[in-house]
Amino acid sequence: MNLINGLPAHILLVHVVVVLVPLTALALAVCAIWPGAARRMGIVLPLFALVALASVPLTTEAGEWLEEHVDSNALVRRHAELGDGLLPWAVGLFALSLLVWWATRQALASGTDGSRRTRWSAAPVRIATIVLSLVVAVGASVDVYRIGDSGAKAAWHDGFSKTASGGDDD
């Protein structure tokens, strides 16, 4: 999928990544810290993470096609380099989302309710999961920002006039 309705697919697909990866990162952080949120989100958390994960290679592949169809310069190459680094973050979001979802299901299946501490809530594994979730959530969000910023610079560098053209005056 290189073109969508005559437009490069990358410039359309990138919006899915820019929205879903940080949204999934935020949901993961909240669910890892607050078990009540994880119970409420249920399977939606790993499903969001799966869609975010799937959108990254699609967008990257479409970006590689676009890179071959635009003039190459240092800004485009930098954007492509940064874009290649997002997949590990998306894999981390998905893996940790699965872990948080699974652990929440296990706690519910063991018959505990939200008012009592469970083995999961007291375990060092939960603390490690919270820390890892926060690290991956922040890392993924920062990476999306850096990639998007470099892409905007590559697309708009010298692509507009700083003064109005005066063509809108009727």
Side-chain angles (χ1 to χ4, degrees), residues 72-94:
S72 182
N73 62 45
L75 294 173
V76 170
R77 287 188 300 275
R78 175 73 176 145
H79 175 63
E81 280 178 22
L82 290 172
D84 289 338
L86 185 58
L87 188 57
W89 292 113
V91 169
L93 285 173
F94 179 65

Side-chain angles (χ1 to χ4, degrees), residues 23-166:
L23 187 61
T24 301
L26 177 62
L28 172 62
V30 169
C31 289
I33 293 168
W34 184 25
R39 281 191 302 277
R40 286 183 193 96
M41 282 205 67
I43 192 73
V44 173
L45 177 63
L47 288 178
F48 270 166
L50 180 62
V51 173
L53 173 60
S55 70
V56 171
L58 288 175
T59 304
T60 303
E61 185 177 313
E64 288 170 358
W65 178 87
L66 182 59
E67 183 181 14
E68 295 172 2
H69 291 82
V70 298
D71 293 333
S72 182
N73 62 45
L75 294 173
V76 170
R77 287 188 300 275
R78 175 73 176 145
H79 175 63
E81 280 178 22
L82 290 172
D84 289 338
L86 185 58
L87 188 57
W89 292 113
V91 169
L93 285 173
F94 179 65
L96 287 164
S97 293
L98 277 176
L99 177 62
V100 168
W101 171 74
W102 178 81
T104 302
R105 280 183 46 95
Q106 291 301 107
L108 290 173
S110 68
T112 60
D113 63 5
S115 64
R116 294 188 307 195
R117 293 178 62 108
T118 64
R119 283 181 279 133
W120 163 248
S121 67
V125 172
R126 182 164 186 272
I127 294 167
T129 302
I130 291 170
V131 170
L132 279 173
S133 295
L134 291 173
V135 168
V136 170
V138 169
S141 298
V142 168
D143 208 32
V144 166
Y145 171 80
R146 291 177 64 224
I147 295 164
D149 183 60
S150 70
K153 287 177 181 171
W156 291 100
H157 179 71
D158 291 335
F160 66 96
S161 173
K162 293 183 181 177
T163 59
S165 64

